[in-house]
Every structure is written in C-alpha cells, then in structure tokens.
Amino acid sequence: MAEKERQKTKKYNLDSFAAAYGLERGKHCCYGVWNGYRVHVKRVPFGNPACLVTVVTKANGKEEQLKKWLIRKKKELCIADSGVVGIGLMVCPKSSTDTWRRVAHILDTITAHLAKNGFAGADRCPYCGEELGKNCVEMSDSDIPFRAHEPCFEQAYLQIQAKRAEEAARKDKKPLATLGALLGGVLAAAIFAACWFWFSFGAPGALIGPFVGAWLYKKFGGKETVYKVLACGALTLVCTGAGYLVCLYVSAMADLGGYASAFAKIAADLATSGGATNLILNVVFSAVFALAAAGWLLRGYFKNKKSVGSVKRLD
C-alpha cells in the first residue's frame, strides 16, 4: 500500500496527524502548508466548536460563490457549519470517532477546489491577494498564523484597534440587557416547573437559563462583560429557586389533606426522607447546572477577549 493510502486509513490524534502531514504543533492546534495553502486546525474535544478548520486565502470578490460551494459540499464533507471570513474560509467538521481522517479529506477537497478556481495560495497575501515579496511579516489574525505584506498587516492592526475603540465607546444598555438575562431566568423557571411536575426533577432548566439569558442580554444591547455572565447565572438561580417554591406550593395546595395551610403541608413533605432527597437533588443540581453554564460563558468571554479579532506579529 502506498504511503498516501496508509495515511488515509491510519488512526490519528493531534500529535500524530501533525507529524504525518508535516504541520507545526500549537496549543490545541496544528498549522502549516497543505497542498500550497496555509491551513490551521484547532481541536478542543469539549470546545464550541470541538474542531475548527481554517484555510487561508483571498476570495477576491468570490465570497458568495465560495459560500455556496461549501453549502453544497456540507453533506459530502460531513461539516456542521462553514463560513467565509476576511482571511479565508472556516469549516466545523461534525464530531466523530475519526475526526482527523475527516479533516484530511476536508483539507484535500477544499484546497483542490481553491487551486482549480485560482484562489490565492500560501505564496500570496490573504489581504490584498498579491504575491508576497520581501516586505512581508509573519503574523496571526484571530490566532491563525500566516504571512502577509507589512502594509497589509499594519492596516489590519489599525482596523482592529478602531473596532475595539468603537466597541468601548458604544453605550452599554445594561438595564435593558439585564431584563434579557431575567427573561432567560424566567424561561429556566418555566422549564424547571414543567420537568418537576413531569418527573420531580427540574434542574435541567437551570442549565438552559444562562445561555438563553446571555443571548437575550446581547440582543437587548448589552456589552460583553463579566457582569453579563454574573447576571445570567445569578438571575437563573433566583428564578429557578422561586419556580421550585411555586411548584411545592401548587402541589401542596392540590393535596392539603388535614393540613391547615399549604406551607404546613410543604414542611411536612420535606420532613420525610423522600421529600428531603427531592429537595437536595433539585437544589444542588440546579446550582451545579447554573454555575456550570455561567462558567462556560465566562470561559468563552475570556477566550474571545484574548484571541478573536486579535492581529499581531509573530516575527
């Protein structure tokens, strides 16, 4: 069997894949030249997305054509999402037990299409599309490394700084955005109640609330801040806690028996081993789920702040 055929059938991890195809290793990623194009593959098993493949090129007005081609190839390449950005294209392979072999197929297919249709390769600047000469720098854009003309790098750097200044100057509609976070918490409470009345365990609602709240927070004009994460997590906890009390009250009212009030019935129910266990499970898991979701949002906040939209020199 030829070496290339052996590579196509071999099982890989990040290290062995990079070594087999002559790519450099980075943190959770590998990068280099693949069939004449600069490529970058990031693989974080529990990331969002878990795998992101980038091919650096200059679309030169063919962005829509490239987007449509990627959509047509979505099923064949088994990709969950794709897009064309300023420095090239990005695709997210679907998770599988053999992600790396799928990545190799994706890169082969994409680079062959780009070469066939005259898209700029590693010997050209991804910003202007012109051939790279002596006046170029090693740089990265959103942690994707490649070479570009120094004037193009400087222009990209200034654009990023201008965008950051514009974002910093943008008014933060915190009160309205907090309402969005509260609506996420209300939804969490509603899901909690539905699940609790169905099978006496409503904690899954607390996992959903922070994510919905974060989305609404942004939609309502809030800025990406730590406050956003704290508001979404805290309001979800408050709302699910209130929702749990309402569930207990409604259940008690429906079955008062000989008790004088719903609160007396609740106290009696929680005093039993079954009631106490149900209380602990719902309270503890609601807190764990809400804090886990908030932690995920916080991780994403710091990750995006560090890398997304960052342009820097590597030489």
Side-chain angles (χ1 to χ4, degrees):
M1 182 184 290
E3 179 62 25
K4 193 170 183 179
E5 291 302 314
R6 284 199 297 271
Q7 287 182 343
K8 287 182 178 179
T9 57
K10 183 179 176 181
K11 292 283 186 178
Y12 292 106
N13 57 27
L14 177 55
D15 288 325
S16 61
F17 181 83
Y21 290 98
L23 303 175
E24 294 186 55
R25 276 283 276 111
K27 186 177 181 181
H28 303 304
C29 70
C30 58
Y31 56 92
V33 177
W34 189 291
N35 295 337
Y37 288 86
R38 290 266 185 171
V39 302
H40 181 273
V41 183
K42 187 169 186 178
R43 170 72 169 157
V44 183
F46 298 102
N48 183 27
C51 185
L52 181 63
V53 178
T54 304
V55 181
V56 179
T57 188
K58 172 68 175 175
N60 258 344
K62 299 179 181 178
E63 288 84 359
E64 289 304 315
Q65 174 187 325
L66 197 49
K67 287 178 184 178
K68 290 177 181 178
W69 180 80
L70 287 170
I71 292 172
R72 289 199 303 270
K73 289 288 183 178
K74 190 172 183 178
K75 185 175 181 181
E76 176 189 329
L77 298 179
C78 293
I79 54 180
D81 199 8
S82 63
V84 179
V85 295
I87 59 169
L89 61 91
M90 295 181 173
V91 299
C92 303
K94 292 181 180 178
S95 298
S96 73
T97 56
D98 198 10
T99 299
W100 290 109
R101 191 165 63 181
R102 181 174 294 171
V103 166
H105 175 61
I106 288 172
L107 288 172
D108 280 341
T109 304
I110 290 176
T111 53
H113 175 79
L114 295 178
K116 181 181 178 181
N117 290 274
F119 286 88
D123 60 338
R124 292 179 176 272
C125 176
Y127 292 114
C128 67
E130 298 298 323
E131 286 189 18
L132 292 169
K134 295 181 180 179
N135 190 23
C136 56
V137 298
E138 295 285 342
M139 62 167 291
S140 69
D141 189 334
S142 300
D143 284 344
I144 312 298
F146 53 87
R147 295 175 72 224
H149 293 128
E150 187 157 12
C152 293
F153 160 76
E154 291 173 354
Q155 184 178 6
Y157 180 80
L158 291 174
Q159 287 176 347
I160 289 297
Q161 297 307 309
K163 286 182 180 179
R164 287 180 175 174
E166 182 181 349
E167 175 62 19
R170 182 172 67 86
K171 185 178 179 181
D172 189 5
K173 300 179 181 178
K174 189 177 288 186
L176 185 60
T178 303
L179 175 61
L182 177 61
L183 291 176
V186 171
L187 176 63
I191 295 172
F192 183 102
C195 292
W196 191 86
F197 282 115
W198 188 17
F199 52 90
S200 298
F201 184 66
L207 184 63
I208 298 169
F211 292 111
V212 175
W215 181 76
L216 291 172
Y217 189 98
K218 183 177 180 180
K219 284 291 183 182
F220 286 7
K223 296 173 72 171
E224 295 295 326
T225 60
V226 174
Y227 171 81
K228 167 188 169 180
V229 177
L230 295 177
C232 292
L235 288 172
T236 291
L237 282 173
V238 170
C239 289
T240 51
Y244 186 33
L245 290 176
V246 170
C247 289
L248 292 174
Y249 183 82
V250 171
S251 179
M253 285 295 292
D255 186 26
L256 276 177
Y259 293 93
S261 71
F263 294 106
K265 179 69 167 59
I266 291 172
D269 288 342
L270 294 180
T272 65
S273 59
T277 300
N278 184 267
L279 173 68
I280 293 171
L281 285 174
N282 279 284
V283 171
V284 170
F285 277 96
S286 291
V288 168
F289 286 166
L291 291 174
W296 185 269
L297 291 172
L298 190 63
R299 173 180 175 270
Y301 164 75
F302 285 115
K303 179 182 174 183
N304 290 337
K305 186 178 181 181
K306 179 182 177 182
S307 63
V308 175
S310 62
V311 172
K312 57 187 177 182
R313 293 182 70 130
L314 301 178
D315 55 6

